[in-house]
Each structure stands twice: as structure tokens, then as C-alpha cells.
Amino acid sequence: TDVDDQLTQRIGVADLHSDLPLGLLKRRFDGQNGSLRTEWLPRLRAGGVRVVVCAVYIDSIFLPEGALRRAVQLVDALLEEIATCADEIELAISGADVERITGQGKIAAILALEGAEPLGQDLSALRLFYRLGMRMLSFAWMRRTAFGDGAWENDSRGGLTRLGRDAVREMNRLGIIMDVSHASDQ
């Protein structure tokens, strides 16, 4: 449509789901700092990507006790690498940021949580991750969380929990995008 064409002309191609934080963390564990500049940015540029949503996903092996720690490691790796490449990529925390950053010829990175496991059982971590720059959140990656059911749980017909409904209200207040990609039908 004309609106889509106008948006694409303004901000370029958007990758709405990248496992970039995990890739960066794996390279750092292997002793390779700086892979954002040497490996990932050239790939994003070659693909014409101007906006990248950086998903923080927690593997099952870290659940439940290690979810927050793992999320901190992933976010730290992303933010540390972005800080060393400020001439090419910047964390966007608003729509205006996306337009400003892409207008400067840089890539706009949007921090997202894919699954709410790192948030635990209350909203304090939601607000903390918001302060770190998180602007998109999905409550579930297929499995059930304290906030709601993922797509693997369609048979339970559980949908959102009370905590999940409270979180939606808080996300609306803060301006966090609700990603329903892996949510249950309910």
C-alpha cells in the first residue's frame, strides 16, 4: 500500500526479529568482542536492514532460576557492543528515535524480550528492562509463563493471567509494544 511504501522509504527495511543478542553473547563467551562491527553490521547493511528488533530469548536450560541472569547477560552484550559502534548503530527507544537514527544513515536497534520469564512474578523487572531500553515484549515463547500461555498451550485455553492483564496495562502506560507472535489463541 502507499502507507507501507512511504514508511519503507522513510526508515528502510526492518528485521522485526533478530537473535542478535544471543549471537553477540556466544561470540563474547568465545573471547570475541567486537563481532557486531566485524560480522553482524556488514550482514545487516548487505540486506538493506535499517531497523532491527533484537530479541532476548531464554533457552529452557536457564529456566526458571537463571532466566533473569541470562537476560542480563544478553542485554549487556547487546548494549556493550552497540556502545562500541555508535557511528553505525544506536538503540532506539521511541518512534522518533527510529526516524532520527535511520535518517542519520545508522541502524536503529530495538530491544525486545521474547518471553517474560526474566520478569519473574511481578512488574518491577518490566519497569527495569524498560529503563534499559526494552520497547517490545512477548509474554510467551510457546510455553506458559506467569503472564500468560504460549502457542504450545492452546489446549489449556488459559490466555492471560491476572499478572498478564496488569502487565498489559503497565505496558500501555509505558509505551511498550505487545508482541503476540507466540501467544496462545486465547
Side-chain angles (χ1 to χ4, degrees):
T1 67
D2 289 339
V3 173
D4 292 337
D5 291 341
Q6 291 171 6
L7 185 61
T8 301
Q9 287 175 2
R10 279 202 335 258
I11 66 167
V13 174
D15 178 347
L16 296 178
H17 183 95
S18 172
D19 289 320
L20 180 59
L22 182 59
L24 293 172
L25 185 62
K26 284 182 177 179
R27 299 300 185 282
R28 285 176 155 244
F29 282 156
D30 291 340
Q32 296 177 291
N33 291 331
S35 68
L36 179 58
R37 186 177 300 278
T38 61
E39 183 178 345
W40 306 102
L41 286 174
R43 288 179 182 175
L44 292 167
R45 293 260 185 232
V49 174
R50 305 277 304 284
V51 179
V52 59
V53 174
C54 302
V56 170
Y57 167 75
I58 308 301
D59 289 305
S60 296
I61 194 169
F62 297 104
L63 301 177
E65 294 84 11
L68 178 59
R69 179 175 300 193
R70 183 66 169 181
V72 168
Q73 291 173 333
L74 290 161
V75 171
D76 178 65
L78 176 68
L79 297 180
E80 286 292 305
E81 291 277 338
I82 286 175
T84 67
C85 301
D87 57 322
E88 292 191 63
I89 188 170
E90 188 177 330
L91 186 68
I93 59 172
S94 69
D97 275 356
V98 170
E99 293 208 37
R100 176 185 55 77
I101 294 163
T102 58
Q104 293 172 350
K106 296 193 264 184
I107 295 171
I110 299 171
L111 178 58
L113 290 186
E114 182 184 9
E117 291 91 349
L119 304 182
Q121 301 284 328
D122 62 51
L123 300 181
S124 59
L126 173 76
R127 289 185 287 271
L128 181 62
F129 278 105
Y130 174 81
R131 288 181 181 100
L132 292 174
M134 186 262 300
R135 292 300 184 266
M136 183 180 287
L137 170 68
S138 58
F139 287 155
W141 176 87
M142 308 303 272
R143 56 192 168 230
R144 177 174 289 134
T145 70
F147 294 81
D149 284 346
W152 281 346
E153 303 295 338
N154 272 329
D155 294 342
S156 72
R157 303 179 56 83
L160 290 178
T161 64
R162 185 177 307 121
L163 177 60
R165 290 188 295 278
D166 290 344
V168 168
R169 284 189 285 278
E170 186 67 354
M171 291 167 65
N172 285 334
R173 185 184 75 79
L174 294 170
I176 299 171
I177 298 166
M178 180 72 209
D179 177 357
V180 298
S181 300
H182 295 282
S184 70
D185 293 342
Q186 296 300 314

Short mmCIF file of all heavy atoms in Angstrom, two decimals, residues 152-176:
data_model
loop_
_atom_site.label_atom_id
_atom_site.label_comp_id
_atom_site.label_asym_id
_atom_site.label_seq_id
_atom_site.Cartn_x
_atom_site.Cartn_y
_atom_site.Cartn_z
N TRP A 152 2.03 -23.25 22.42
CA TRP A 152 2.05 -24.67 22.75
C TRP A 152 0.95 -25.01 23.75
O TRP A 152 0.68 -26.18 24.00
CB TRP A 152 3.38 -25.08 23.34
CG TRP A 152 4.47 -25.28 22.34
CD1 TRP A 152 4.34 -25.39 20.99
CD2 TRP A 152 5.87 -25.39 22.62
NE1 TRP A 152 5.57 -25.55 20.40
CE2 TRP A 152 6.52 -25.55 21.38
CE3 TRP A 152 6.62 -25.36 23.78
CZ2 TRP A 152 7.91 -25.70 21.29
CZ3 TRP A 152 7.99 -25.50 23.68
CH2 TRP A 152 8.62 -25.67 22.45
N GLU A 153 0.34 -24.01 24.37
CA GLU A 153 -0.64 -24.23 25.42
C GLU A 153 -2.08 -23.95 24.96
O GLU A 153 -2.95 -23.69 25.78
CB GLU A 153 -0.31 -23.34 26.63
CG GLU A 153 1.07 -23.56 27.19
CD GLU A 153 1.26 -24.94 27.79
OE1 GLU A 153 0.27 -25.60 28.16
OE2 GLU A 153 2.42 -25.37 27.88
N ASN A 154 -2.34 -23.99 23.68
CA ASN A 154 -3.68 -23.69 23.19
C ASN A 154 -4.76 -24.58 23.79
O ASN A 154 -5.88 -24.16 23.98
CB ASN A 154 -3.73 -23.78 21.65
CG ASN A 154 -3.35 -22.46 21.01
OD1 ASN A 154 -3.60 -21.39 21.57
ND2 ASN A 154 -2.74 -22.53 19.85
N ASP A 155 -4.41 -25.81 24.11
CA ASP A 155 -5.41 -26.73 24.67
C ASP A 155 -5.88 -26.31 26.06
O ASP A 155 -6.98 -26.65 26.47
CB ASP A 155 -4.86 -28.16 24.74
CG ASP A 155 -4.62 -28.74 23.36
OD1 ASP A 155 -5.18 -28.21 22.38
OD2 ASP A 155 -3.87 -29.73 23.26
N SER A 156 -5.05 -25.57 26.79
CA SER A 156 -5.42 -25.19 28.15
C SER A 156 -6.45 -24.05 28.18
O SER A 156 -7.12 -23.85 29.18
CB SER A 156 -4.18 -24.75 28.95
OG SER A 156 -3.72 -23.50 28.49
N ARG A 157 -6.52 -23.31 27.09
CA ARG A 157 -7.44 -22.18 26.96
C ARG A 157 -7.24 -21.16 28.08
O ARG A 157 -8.16 -20.50 28.52
CB ARG A 157 -8.89 -22.66 26.92
CG ARG A 157 -9.15 -23.65 25.78
CD ARG A 157 -10.57 -24.15 25.74
NE ARG A 157 -11.56 -23.11 25.67
CZ ARG A 157 -11.95 -22.49 24.55
NH1 ARG A 157 -11.40 -22.82 23.42
NH2 ARG A 157 -12.88 -21.56 24.59
N GLY A 158 -5.97 -21.02 28.55
CA GLY A 158 -5.69 -20.14 29.68
C GLY A 158 -5.57 -18.67 29.33
O GLY A 158 -5.98 -17.83 30.10
N GLY A 159 -4.99 -18.33 28.19
CA GLY A 159 -4.81 -16.93 27.83
C GLY A 159 -3.94 -16.17 28.82
O GLY A 159 -2.98 -16.70 29.36
N LEU A 160 -4.30 -14.93 29.08
CA LEU A 160 -3.54 -14.09 30.01
C LEU A 160 -3.91 -14.41 31.45
O LEU A 160 -5.07 -14.69 31.76
CB LEU A 160 -3.83 -12.60 29.76
CG LEU A 160 -3.29 -11.99 28.48
CD1 LEU A 160 -3.71 -10.53 28.38
CD2 LEU A 160 -1.78 -12.11 28.40
N THR A 161 -2.92 -14.28 32.32
CA THR A 161 -3.17 -14.41 33.76
C THR A 161 -3.54 -13.02 34.30
O THR A 161 -3.47 -12.02 33.58
CB THR A 161 -1.92 -14.91 34.48
OG1 THR A 161 -0.88 -13.92 34.33
CG2 THR A 161 -1.45 -16.25 33.92
N ARG A 162 -3.89 -12.97 35.56
CA ARG A 162 -4.15 -11.68 36.20
C ARG A 162 -2.90 -10.80 36.10
O ARG A 162 -2.99 -9.60 35.79
CB ARG A 162 -4.54 -11.88 37.66
CG ARG A 162 -4.94 -10.58 38.36
CD ARG A 162 -5.39 -10.81 39.80
NE ARG A 162 -6.45 -11.83 39.87
CZ ARG A 162 -6.37 -12.96 40.58
NH1 ARG A 162 -5.30 -13.23 41.29
NH2 ARG A 162 -7.36 -13.83 40.59
N LEU A 163 -1.71 -11.38 36.35
CA LEU A 163 -0.46 -10.64 36.22
C LEU A 163 -0.27 -10.15 34.78
O LEU A 163 0.17 -9.03 34.56
CB LEU A 163 0.72 -11.52 36.65
CG LEU A 163 2.11 -10.91 36.52
CD1 LEU A 163 2.24 -9.64 37.36
CD2 LEU A 163 3.17 -11.93 36.91
N GLY A 164 -0.62 -10.99 33.84
CA GLY A 164 -0.52 -10.61 32.43
C GLY A 164 -1.41 -9.42 32.10
O GLY A 164 -0.99 -8.49 31.38
N ARG A 165 -2.62 -9.41 32.62
CA ARG A 165 -3.52 -8.27 32.38
C ARG A 165 -2.97 -7.00 33.03
O ARG A 165 -3.02 -5.92 32.44
CB ARG A 165 -4.93 -8.59 32.87
CG ARG A 165 -5.62 -9.66 31.99
CD ARG A 165 -7.09 -9.86 32.35
NE ARG A 165 -7.30 -10.39 33.69
CZ ARG A 165 -7.23 -11.67 34.02
NH1 ARG A 165 -6.96 -12.58 33.10
NH2 ARG A 165 -7.44 -12.07 35.26
N ASP A 166 -2.41 -7.13 34.24
CA ASP A 166 -1.78 -5.98 34.89
C ASP A 166 -0.59 -5.49 34.06
O ASP A 166 -0.37 -4.28 33.92
CB ASP A 166 -1.30 -6.34 36.29
CG ASP A 166 -2.44 -6.55 37.28
OD1 ASP A 166 -3.59 -6.14 36.99
OD2 ASP A 166 -2.18 -7.13 38.35
N ALA A 167 0.17 -6.42 33.51
CA ALA A 167 1.33 -6.06 32.70
C ALA A 167 0.91 -5.32 31.43
O ALA A 167 1.58 -4.37 31.02
CB ALA A 167 2.15 -7.30 32.37
N VAL A 168 -0.17 -5.76 30.81
CA VAL A 168 -0.65 -5.06 29.61
C VAL A 168 -0.98 -3.61 29.95
O VAL A 168 -0.61 -2.69 29.21
CB VAL A 168 -1.88 -5.78 29.00
CG1 VAL A 168 -2.55 -4.92 27.94
CG2 VAL A 168 -1.47 -7.13 28.42
N ARG A 169 -1.63 -3.39 31.07
CA ARG A 169 -1.94 -2.01 31.48
C ARG A 169 -0.65 -1.20 31.69
O ARG A 169 -0.54 -0.05 31.27
CB ARG A 169 -2.80 -2.00 32.75
CG ARG A 169 -4.26 -2.36 32.49
CD ARG A 169 -5.15 -2.15 33.71
NE ARG A 169 -4.98 -3.18 34.73
CZ ARG A 169 -5.58 -4.38 34.69
NH1 ARG A 169 -6.39 -4.69 33.69
NH2 ARG A 169 -5.37 -5.27 35.63
N GLU A 170 0.34 -1.82 32.35
CA GLU A 170 1.60 -1.13 32.60
C GLU A 170 2.36 -0.88 31.30
O GLU A 170 2.96 0.17 31.11
CB GLU A 170 2.45 -1.94 33.59
CG GLU A 170 3.72 -1.25 34.03
CD GLU A 170 3.51 -0.01 34.88
OE1 GLU A 170 2.35 0.45 35.08
OE2 GLU A 170 4.52 0.55 35.35
N MET A 171 2.33 -1.85 30.39
CA MET A 171 2.99 -1.67 29.10
C MET A 171 2.33 -0.54 28.31
O MET A 171 3.03 0.27 27.68
CB MET A 171 2.94 -2.98 28.30
CG MET A 171 3.83 -4.06 28.89
SD MET A 171 3.51 -5.70 28.20
CE MET A 171 4.00 -5.46 26.50
N ASN A 172 1.01 -0.46 28.36
CA ASN A 172 0.31 0.65 27.70
C ASN A 172 0.73 1.98 28.30
O ASN A 172 0.94 2.96 27.58
CB ASN A 172 -1.20 0.47 27.79
CG ASN A 172 -1.71 -0.60 26.84
OD1 ASN A 172 -1.10 -0.88 25.82
ND2 ASN A 172 -2.83 -1.20 27.20
N ARG A 173 0.85 2.03 29.61
CA ARG A 173 1.26 3.26 30.28
C ARG A 173 2.67 3.67 29.88
O ARG A 173 2.94 4.85 29.62
CB ARG A 173 1.19 3.08 31.81
CG ARG A 173 1.50 4.36 32.60
CD ARG A 173 1.52 4.11 34.10
NE ARG A 173 2.71 3.43 34.55
CZ ARG A 173 3.91 4.01 34.74
NH1 ARG A 173 4.07 5.28 34.51
NH2 ARG A 173 4.93 3.28 35.15
N LEU A 174 3.58 2.69 29.80
CA LEU A 174 4.97 2.97 29.47
C LEU A 174 5.23 3.16 27.98
O LEU A 174 6.20 3.81 27.60
CB LEU A 174 5.88 1.85 30.00
CG LEU A 174 5.94 1.69 31.52
CD1 LEU A 174 6.66 0.39 31.89
CD2 LEU A 174 6.63 2.89 32.15
N GLY A 175 4.40 2.55 27.15
CA GLY A 175 4.63 2.62 25.72
C GLY A 175 5.45 1.45 25.19
O GLY A 175 6.26 1.60 24.29
N ILE A 176 5.24 0.27 25.75
CA ILE A 176 5.92 -0.95 25.31
C ILE A 176 5.01 -1.69 24.33
O ILE A 176 3.83 -1.90 24.62
CB ILE A 176 6.27 -1.87 26.50
CG1 ILE A 176 7.22 -1.14 27.46
CG2 ILE A 176 6.88 -3.18 26.03
CD1 ILE A 176 7.46 -1.88 28.77
#
